[in-house]
């Protein structure tokens, strides 16, 4: 196998994807399996039933399925957030010895923003903030307190449409209830509930996860690092941290730098301990500690195939079960660390905030002890430079110019046309998508047309491998964007973190509205989002909360249920009436770029700034 964007060797997931043809019912058509009178396959045209045994129509079934996927995605992001908040509360109580409140300034800012006290003592303040955040999950009535972070126009619109989330857990549960057999059976009504649930993710769970991790581990600032399998070191004990919760990895990174560990590694013939990240955990520790990245989602099995990984730690989300079978062929120890997730064939060492230090030490010892068991090592040499660490704070600083501390200069650059608009390119890498190269094709086209690109998740890592996350990439930008990037010394593609950090993109968009000159609502901005290689339900939750916030989103791969014309009319057009934004679908990366560019130009025209 020799595809662009891969190392030229076999990727097990790609082989399996070739063997398994995607089920056409689950993709375009409407397939319902929520009750035992079915599963029912229904279609609006051609041969086959028009409605399910219960009478359900294709558009209802498609909306029901989408709503369920959004609920699962929201649950994943938010349950992850809950885990981080619980650790944060334990730190505030003094019962998590491996952690501390790192960014106290951000903590005070948050507390002031949320109106929860002015206590001098950071631990007291953290307890207040932690209590408010935990309350957001279980709130039964009223409005999510964090919804107030949205621009006033957007909040008004949500209120008018009944879309302000009550509690995070409540919206997820209600989505599951409404999609049970025989409950909510009107497509648009179901889509609105999908949106309310997604908003509980975007403005709730994800904001909470990002904010709390910034306070605990530091708010990202621009740093350089490297990405690709070449970051694994042949002479070192290699540990790959994979998954989504950066809690244990944070402690591990700190401990690994300890002289004791280097000495232990030397005793078994290694030069030291090398930690590399994978998937969103990679994004987290990359942003805050410039820890290099081994790979994105699609390459997880490949890391083990190098024969150089002594230990792979996994917690929750986007961990392929196939890792266990691959690890069994090598000396690699696969260890699950979350109470929520186990894999047959993997060892389980559970993380808890109270014992994180001991657990991290035990795992480091286990990795070092495994070094002598290595057999053949074959690490592809590639590793690409990248710059990371852009959040609403650092972008404000980097783009602030003479208006340091505001988004005015970004807005001015957009108004005067140096930058045409902003695109968020997010989500996964998918073996079904255009040969793993779609991110590069798409992003190059956007950048060449003077669109500033913000990236997160595995999409960010794919762009990094493509060499797009360095200031020198401005060479391939259009003349306006190039000038801005060169003046500021920033890349044309800004790495904003993990998938929950899509909340950073929302906050930046809100800042752009606040800075003035580009309309009064998020739907006025010349901004679009896309997930060209999405695979996870989380990506659908993200897309739906962007749309519910007024930012249109393009999806690649396939759009679930799109064969139902009535459903397609709703998601691709109808939603615009209510949200000022809708989905669009385009599997071809070039064409997707063109659609985004057209959307941005349309928004510019509406603002009267087409020049
Ligand atoms: Ni996002 Fe991160 Fe990657 Fe996709 Fe998975 S790791 S949370 S879901 S695959 S970007
Ligand atoms: Fe079929 Fe209706 Fe049951 Fe769905 S809910 S499986 S459409 S009978």
């Amino acid at each position: 196998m020799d595809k662009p964007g891969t190392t030229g060797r076999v990727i097990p997931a790609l082989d399996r994807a070739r063997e398994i043809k995607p089920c056409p019912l689950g993709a375009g058509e409407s397939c319902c399996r929520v009750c035992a009178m079915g599963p029912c396959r229904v279609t609006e045209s051609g041969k086959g039933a028009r409605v399910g045994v219960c009478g359900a129509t294709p558009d209802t079934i498609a909306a029901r399925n989408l709503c369920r996927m959004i609920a699962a995605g929201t649950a994943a992001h938010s349950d992850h957030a809950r885990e981080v908040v619980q650790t944060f509360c334990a730190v505030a109580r003094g019962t998590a010895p491996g952690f501390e409140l790192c960014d106290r300034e951000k903590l005070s800012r948050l507390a002031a923003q949320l109106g929860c006290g002015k206590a001098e003592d950071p631990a007291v303040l953290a307890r207040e903030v932690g209590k408010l955040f935990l309350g957001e999950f279980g709130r039964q009535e009223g409005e999510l307190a964090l919804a107030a972070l949205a621009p006033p126009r957007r909040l008004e619109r949500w209120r008018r449409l009944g879309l302000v989330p009550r509690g995070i857990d409540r919206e997820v549960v209600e989505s599951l209830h409404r999609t049970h057999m025989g409950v909510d059976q009107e497509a648009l009504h179901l889509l609105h509930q999908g949106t309310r649930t997604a908003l509980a993710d975007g403005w709730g769970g994800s904001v909470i996860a990002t904010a709390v991790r910034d306070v605990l581990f530091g708010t990202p600032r621009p740093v350089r690092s490297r990405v690709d399998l070449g970051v694994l070191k042949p002479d070192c004990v290699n540990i790959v941290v994979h998954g989504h919760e950066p809690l244990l990895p944070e402690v591990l990174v700190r401990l690994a730098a300890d002289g004791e560990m280097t000495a232990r590694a030397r005793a078994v013939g290694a030069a030291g301990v090398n930690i590399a990240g994978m998937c969103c955990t990679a994004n987290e520790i990359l942003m805050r500690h410039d820890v290099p990245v081994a790979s994105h989602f699609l390459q997880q099995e490949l890391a083990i195939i190098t024969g150089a990984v002594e230990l792979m730690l996994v917690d929750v989300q986007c961990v392929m079960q196939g890792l266990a079978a691959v690890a069994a062929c090598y000396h690699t120890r696969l260890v699950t660390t979350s109470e929520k997730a186990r894999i047959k064939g993997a060892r389980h060492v559970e993380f808890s905030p109270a014992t994180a230090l001991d657990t991290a030490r035990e795992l480091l010892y286990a990795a070092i002890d495994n070094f002598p068991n290595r057999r053949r090592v074959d690490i592809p040499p590639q590793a690409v430079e990248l710059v990371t660490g852009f959040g609403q704070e650092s972008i404000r600083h980097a783009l602030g110019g003479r208006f340091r501390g505001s988004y005015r200069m970004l807005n001015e650059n957009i108004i005067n046309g140096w930058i045409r608009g902003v695109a968020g390119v997010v989500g996964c890498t998918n073996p079904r998508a255009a040969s793993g190269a779609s991110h590069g094709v798409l992003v190059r086209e956007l950048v060449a047309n003077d669109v500033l690109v913000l990236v997160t998740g595995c999409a960010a890592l794919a762009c990094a491998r493509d060499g797009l996350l360095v200031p020198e990439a401005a060479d391939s930008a259009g003349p306006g964007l190039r000038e801005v990037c060169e003046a500021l010394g920033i890349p044309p593609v800004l790495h904003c973190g993990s998938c929950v950090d899509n909340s950073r993109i929302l906050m930046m968009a809100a800042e752009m509205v606040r800075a003035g000159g580009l309309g009064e609502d998020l739907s006025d901005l010349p901004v679009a989002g896309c997930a060209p290689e999405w695979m996870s339900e989380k990506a659908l939750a993200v897309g739906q909360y962007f749309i519910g916030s007024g930012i249109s989103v393009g999806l690649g791969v396939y759009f679930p249920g799109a064969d139902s014309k009535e459903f397609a009319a709703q998601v691709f057009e109808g939603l615009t009436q209510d949200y000022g934004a809708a989905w669009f679908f385009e599997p071809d990366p070039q064409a997707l770029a063109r659609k985004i560019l057209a959307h941005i130009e349309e928004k510019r025209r509406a603002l009267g700034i087409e020049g």
Side-chain angles (χ1 to χ4, degrees):
M1 212 243 27
D2 233 323
K3 301 264 189 206
T6 72
T7 54
R9 38 172 82 197
V10 173
I11 300 182
L14 272 185
D15 281 352
R16 294 192 297 266
R18 258 192 299 271
E19 273 162 30
I20 305 166
K21 292 279 160 271
C23 169
L25 311 189
E29 297 184 16
S30 299
C31 164
C32 181
R33 50 181 182 83
V34 303
C35 93
M37 293 188 286
C40 299
R41 172 190 186 176
V42 298
T43 165
E44 275 164 10
S45 52
K47 267 202 267 169
R50 294 287 180 267
V51 295
V53 174
C54 67
T57 51
D59 62 322
T60 294
I61 292 173
R64 194 151 63 189
N65 288 344
L66 180 61
C67 188
R68 279 212 158 190
M69 291 175 92
I70 291 169
T74 300
H77 278 153
S78 301
D79 210 32
H80 160 188
R82 186 195 331 265
E83 200 77 33
V84 193
V85 180
Q86 278 169 338
T87 300
F88 178 70
C89 292
V91 177
R93 283 195 306 270
T95 55
F99 302 92
E100 56 182 63
L101 301 168
C102 179
D103 190 342
R104 297 179 176 196
E105 216 185 295
K106 178 144 187 173
L107 174 63
S108 310
R109 251 193 345 263
L110 265 175
Q113 222 175 354
L114 299 167
C116 47
K118 291 193 177 85
E120 290 279 310
D121 182 351
V124 176
L125 213 51
R127 280 203 288 275
E128 290 293 315
V129 172
K131 201 166 120 201
L132 183 138
F133 282 166
L134 275 184
E136 296 286 78
F137 293 90
R139 189 191 292 276
Q140 299 300 319
E141 294 297 338
E143 296 182 349
L144 210 66
L146 291 164
L149 298 178
R153 278 284 168 86
R154 189 49 38 178
L155 192 55
E156 264 167 43
R157 194 192 280 246
W158 290 340
R159 285 187 178 138
R160 213 169 49 239
L161 293 164
L163 291 178
V164 188
R166 293 151 296 181
I168 299 166
D169 295 352
R170 172 159 188 186
E171 300 311 343
V172 172
V173 169
E174 188 165 316
S175 286
L176 293 180
H177 176 197
R178 285 215 213 167
T179 54
H180 179 276
M181 191 272 150
V183 186
D184 196 358
Q185 295 169 92
E186 190 183 271
L188 184 60
H189 199 236
L190 277 160
L191 285 170
H192 280 328
Q193 176 55 19
T195 305
R196 181 158 57 172
T197 307
L199 292 174
D201 174 353
W203 296 87
S206 289
V207 170
I208 293 175
T210 300
V212 166
R213 287 167 327 173
D214 280 358
V215 174
L216 280 178
F217 308 128
T219 303
R221 286 195 213 114
V223 287
R224 269 186 184 259
S225 189
R226 290 182 322 137
V227 60
D228 216 342
L229 291 171
V231 307
L232 298 171
K233 294 187 181 157
D235 57 347
C236 283
V237 173
N238 290 302
I239 300 178
V240 174
V241 286
H242 174 14
H244 284 77
E245 290 170 356
L247 303 167
L248 184 58
E250 280 279 340
V251 184
L252 204 77
V253 167
R254 234 179 314 133
L255 263 191
D258 198 280
E260 184 214 338
M261 292 303 161
T262 315
R264 252 187 118 100
R266 290 215 173 110
V268 297
V273 178
N274 179 40
I275 297 193
M278 182 162 312
C279 286
C280 278
T281 292
N283 284 311
E284 302 280 349
I285 52 178
L286 164 73
M287 269 198 128
R288 298 196 178 87
H289 307 292
D290 60 32
V291 171
V293 178
S295 83
H296 54 71
F297 174 74
L298 197 50
Q299 280 194 301
Q300 52 189 283
E301 291 160 306
L302 263 189
I304 295 178
I305 292 174
T306 62
V309 176
E310 274 59 53
L311 176 70
M312 183 182 276
L313 292 182
V314 301
D315 48 41
V316 289
Q317 302 170 22
C318 306
V319 176
M320 289 196 191
Q321 190 174 350
L323 284 175
V326 179
C329 303
Y330 294 82
H331 78 303
T332 306
R333 298 226 168 117
L334 182 66
V335 173
T336 50
T337 62
S338 164
E339 176 238 325
K340 296 178 185 122
R342 305 233 174 159
I343 298 177
K344 198 173 165 204
R347 199 179 142 211
H348 186 72
V349 180
E350 203 155 297
F351 162 79
S352 110
T355 54
L357 268 174
D358 294 336
T359 309
R361 191 171 293 113
E362 179 193 334
L363 290 167
L364 277 160
Y365 289 168
I368 294 169
D369 292 346
N370 195 22
F371 183 79
N373 298 327
R374 266 192 193 180
R375 282 165 267 166
R376 209 168 79 96
V377 170
D378 179 9
I379 305 172
Q382 301 94 307
V384 181
E385 288 259 317
L386 82 156
V387 175
T388 174
F390 295 96
Q392 68 267 38
E393 293 89 353
S394 52
I395 288 191
R396 188 193 297 130
H397 189 78
L399 289 169
R402 65 201 157 92
F403 304 110
R404 287 250 179 253
S406 95
Y407 274 62
R408 279 279 299 286
M409 188 169 135
L410 174 61
N411 286 11
E412 297 217 336
N413 277 318
I414 291 174
I415 292 164
N416 66 27
W418 291 92
I419 298 175
R420 306 303 294 175
V422 179
V425 179
V426 309
C428 325
T429 46
N430 186 327
R432 304 270 182 222
S435 71
S438 34
H439 291 102
V441 173
L442 166 85
V443 170
R444 277 178 204 286
E445 185 67 21
L446 293 174
V447 164
N449 285 283
D450 295 313
V451 169
L452 179 70
V453 178
L454 308 178
V455 288
T456 59
C458 291
L461 302 177
C463 290
R465 287 185 74 218
D466 237 308
L468 286 162
L469 268 55
V470 283
E472 302 80 65
D475 290 350
S476 54
L481 179 62
R482 182 177 174 168
E483 183 105 5
V484 174
C485 289
E486 282 175 356
L488 301 172
I490 57 167
V493 185
L494 302 178
H495 183 286
C496 302
S498 63
C499 265
V500 283
D501 290 336
N502 283 319
S503 64
R504 297 191 201 273
I505 300 183
L506 273 189
M507 293 301 140
M508 286 181 236
E511 294 239 28
M512 285 168 74
V513 172
R514 222 168 291 135
L518 292 175
E520 291 189 13
D521 195 352
L522 296 162
S523 51
D524 298 326
L525 297 172
V527 172
C530 69
E533 292 196 21
W534 78 281
M535 64 87 203
S536 150
E537 290 162 316
K538 289 177 286 175
L540 294 178
V542 171
Q544 192 79 12
Y545 73 61
F546 269 96
I547 290 164
S549 304
I551 298 170
S552 289
V553 175
L555 219 53
V557 192
Y558 77 88
F559 198 99
D563 282 1
S564 159
K565 290 196 180 62
E566 276 189 50
F567 171 73
Q570 289 287 6
V571 289
F572 299 141
E573 282 167 41
L575 292 182
T576 312
Q577 211 182 333
D578 288 332
Y579 308 162
W583 288 99
F584 51 101
F585 168 60
E586 182 49 72
D588 175 66
Q590 276 285 356
L592 180 57
R594 280 197 297 276
K595 284 188 179 167
I596 293 172
L597 293 169
H599 178 80
I600 284 175
E601 291 307 319
E602 194 186 309
K603 291 288 175 190
R604 292 181 64 89
R605 270 194 300 281
L607 285 165
I609 54 167
E610 61 264 57

